[in-house]
Amino acid sequence: MNRLIDLRSDTVTHPTPAMRAAMADAPVGDDVYGEDPTVNRLQALAAERLGKEAALFVPSGTMGNLASLLAHCGRGDEVILGDRSHIFLNEQGGMAALGGIMPHTLPNQSDGTLCLAEIAAAIRGDNVHYPRTRLVCLENTHNVCDGAPLPLDYVRAAADLAHAHGLGLHVDGARLFNAAAALGVDVTELVAEVDSVSLCLSKGLSAPVGSLICGSSPFIHAAHRARKVLGGGMRQAGVIAAAGIVALQEMPGRLTEDHQRARRLAEGFAALPNLQVGPVHTNILYFSLSDDCPLDGAGLAAALDARGILLPNRGPRSFRVVTHYWIDDQDVEQVLSAMYEILDIEGV
Ligand SMILES: *Cc1c(COP(=O)(O)O)cnc(C)c1O
């Protein structure tokens, strides 16, 4: 059997040869003393690339979001965010558990946005009974809303609304560069009105470890304190930051390839009987097996697994496919022929 074709997530990406070389050669120091030249270079590069005053290297996207929320909010403050957002669904309620921050969820629309009128209505007035609304969070691209990028005009309008009420706007940009690539806008523009943004180096950008948060100098100062109390102060972190520099410099420009491959998979899947295929905006594709398909999700996952394709089912009949650096055109064709072999029951 050839190497595995791993479509579970873009987090499975191993570092590229250029990253491994950069890691081996990285000058390092103690980053808790602020003395790691490679971390400092990565942070300066990120701030410049996103058009923000400052940036902070953090071990994970989850810590990046939590440190950001802790920097924006105090205990009893309230954050408005989507009910399908990663921060709400997949980060253990860290804001409440560790920050005493109250999540106020609004329904995510199918395109990943929050309705602006609903945000406006959710903002609390000055009343002794109420928590203080401090922050609005958006997610761009929106993972579970078909990897949809939030358009530039929408992000601007949400920022205007938040700022008009004295609130901050945080963007969970785990896949921010995928959003910029799909929209055909520069990331700088996409976050220009945003107060803070987190992004993952370890997903489509293929670095082994790490995320970044960017914002104003006072915001990053507060986030730096939060990172320390969360246990995220690292020592010779330049060893991993070196891969992050390569990720920022070399990887954003190729993300449209991943998007094209996701589209190619969706087109191929759409021709199969018994499959409902969701829209493709970026590198994420959801599909499900129709109820009359003789195979269930576990059955399809096992049949793919036997062919060296890693794609576990996420619901009884539902799947998420994520393309990334280590999936090439040949892999895409191999996945399509496996799917035809397994599912082409009627001999189309
Ligand atoms: C992956 C992800 C995160 C968290 O990143 P980790 O590095 O896994 O902690 C946050 N938000 C979104 C939308 C993600 O996809």
Side-chain angles (χ1 to χ4, degrees):
M1 176 78 38
N2 297 330
R3 72 181 173 84
L4 289 176
I5 297 176
D6 193 342
L7 298 169
R8 289 174 298 169
S9 176
D10 44 11
T11 57
V12 302
T13 44
H14 293 189
T16 65
M19 288 177 191
R20 289 187 186 271
M23 293 168 80
D25 291 341
V28 296
D30 189 335
D31 183 50
V32 174
Y33 294 156
E35 288 174 1
D36 189 300
T38 307
V39 171
N40 291 339
R41 216 180 119 217
L42 171 63
Q43 292 175 163
L45 188 70
E48 192 198 322
R49 190 76 184 74
L50 271 73
K52 297 295 179 197
E53 270 176 7
L56 186 71
F57 185 48
V58 291
S60 69
T62 299
M63 191 185 288
N65 284 330
L66 182 54
S68 297
L69 266 59
L70 292 173
H72 284 294
C73 303
R75 300 187 70 80
D77 288 347
E78 188 176 58
V79 170
I80 295 170
L81 78 174
D83 63 352
R84 305 180 72 198
S85 64
H86 194 280
I87 295 179
F88 182 65
L89 292 178
N90 294 321
E91 301 183 11
Q92 267 194 38
M95 73 168 91
L98 303 179
I101 302 164
M102 189 159 112
H104 184 153
T105 56
L106 297 176
N108 275 114
Q109 311 296 299
S110 60
D111 63 0
T113 61
L114 303 176
C115 172
L116 294 177
E118 289 182 17
I119 296 177
I123 298 168
R124 311 273 193 161
D126 181 15
N127 182 312
V128 74
H129 298 88
Y130 298 160
R132 279 175 301 202
T133 312
R134 280 282 187 222
L135 189 69
V136 176
C137 292
L138 299 175
E139 184 174 313
N140 202 5
T141 64
H142 203 290
N143 182 351
V144 302
C145 294
D146 300 306
L150 309 187
L152 181 56
D153 286 351
Y154 173 79
V155 177
R156 282 184 180 149
D160 287 348
L161 173 62
H163 296 157
H165 290 85
L167 311 181
L169 177 65
H170 173 74
V171 168
D172 175 355
R175 297 186 179 83
L176 185 72
F177 281 97
N178 293 88
L183 297 166
V185 303
D186 194 83
V187 275
T188 311
E189 235 187 314
L190 197 51
V191 298
E193 324 296 331
V194 160
D195 299 287
S196 61
V197 54
S198 60
L199 68 92
C200 289
L201 296 166
S202 62
K203 292 188 172 167
L205 302 184
S206 297
V209 183
S211 287
L212 287 158
I213 53 185
C214 302
S216 69
S217 297
F219 165 78
I220 291 296
H221 181 78
H224 187 189
R225 282 191 61 82
R227 184 187 70 173
K228 190 76 177 97
V229 78
L230 296 173
M234 297 183 285
R235 302 297 180 181
Q236 286 72 34
V239 171
I240 49 176
I245 291 172
V246 177
L248 272 189
Q249 287 178 329
E250 293 184 8
M251 305 305 274
R254 58 157 305 285
L255 292 173
T256 49
E257 286 181 35
D258 298 342
H259 301 178
Q260 279 157 14
R261 291 189 180 108
R263 270 199 300 277
R264 165 83 186 116
L265 282 169
E267 285 159 15
F269 290 177
L272 278 162
N274 297 321
L275 276 199
Q276 277 124 27
V277 186
V280 176
H281 305 285
T282 52
N283 65 329
I284 295 176
L285 159 65
Y286 289 87
F287 73 87
S288 56
L289 296 170
S290 58
D291 290 339
D292 49 1
C293 179
L295 264 185
D296 65 1
L300 175 58
L304 288 168
D305 195 72
R307 290 164 174 79
I309 297 164
L310 273 185
L311 190 59
N313 51 318
R314 292 165 70 89
R317 309 181 81 81
S318 58
F319 293 82
R320 184 188 73 167
V321 179
V322 188
T323 55
H324 54 76
Y325 181 79
W326 297 100
I327 300 296
D328 61 17
D329 289 334
Q330 203 184 324
D331 296 331
V332 165
E333 297 313 316
Q334 208 172 316
V335 171
L336 288 175
S337 46
M339 288 287 280
Y340 276 77
E341 217 175 276
I342 299 163
L343 283 172
D344 189 6
I345 297 138
E346 293 152 14
V348 172

